[in-house]
Amino acid sequence: KSEASKEDNPSWKQAMSGPFKEEYWQAAVKEIETLESMDAWEVVDRTDDMNVIPSIWAFKLKRFPDGMVKKFKARFCARGDKQLE
């Protein structure tokens, strides 16, 4: 079970170079579009005094009980513990 879980939760590098790279890419595009439609951030020019918060992608391959692929999920996660305000 733990081996299947590792395969179903790839890193960015694994997701973008693996057999489901197109599906994970589409899931990432959908996540960005969703966040942009919610005005989750504002794009600004970076200055030296800014605290740029690191981020990470979390991918998940969802399966039916029989093991067949149900869907591909992508989440863009900001490191809130690094936020100053």
Side-chain angles (χ1 to χ4, degrees):
K1 177 107 180 153
S2 63
E3 192 62 37
S5 295
K6 273 192 224 176
E7 291 175 5
D8 289 353
N9 295 290
S11 66
W12 173 270
K13 186 175 181 179
Q14 293 166 330
M16 295 303 140
S17 62
F20 298 117
K21 60 186 170 194
E22 184 60 32
E23 290 86 350
Y24 282 121
W25 178 257
Q26 289 303 320
V29 168
K30 183 177 178 183
E31 172 73 352
I32 292 294
E33 288 173 349
T34 299
L35 291 169
E36 286 178 341
S37 73
M38 296 169 38
D39 293 325
W41 59 67
E42 179 183 350
V43 177
V44 297
D45 292 330
R46 184 176 181 173
T47 61
D48 291 338
D49 64 329
M50 287 183 174
N51 177 42
V52 179
I53 300 172
S55 59
I56 190 167
W57 281 95
F59 292 100
K60 175 75 177 167
L61 190 156
K62 304 286 276 185
R63 295 182 182 272
F64 289 106
D66 65 1
M68 295 293 293
V69 174
K70 184 176 184 179
K71 73 180 195 176
F72 296 84
K73 291 181 71 173
R75 290 294 174 258
F76 183 72
C77 309
R79 292 278 313 271
D81 60 312
K82 302 291 184 181
Q83 188 172 335
L84 297 179
E85 300 181 8

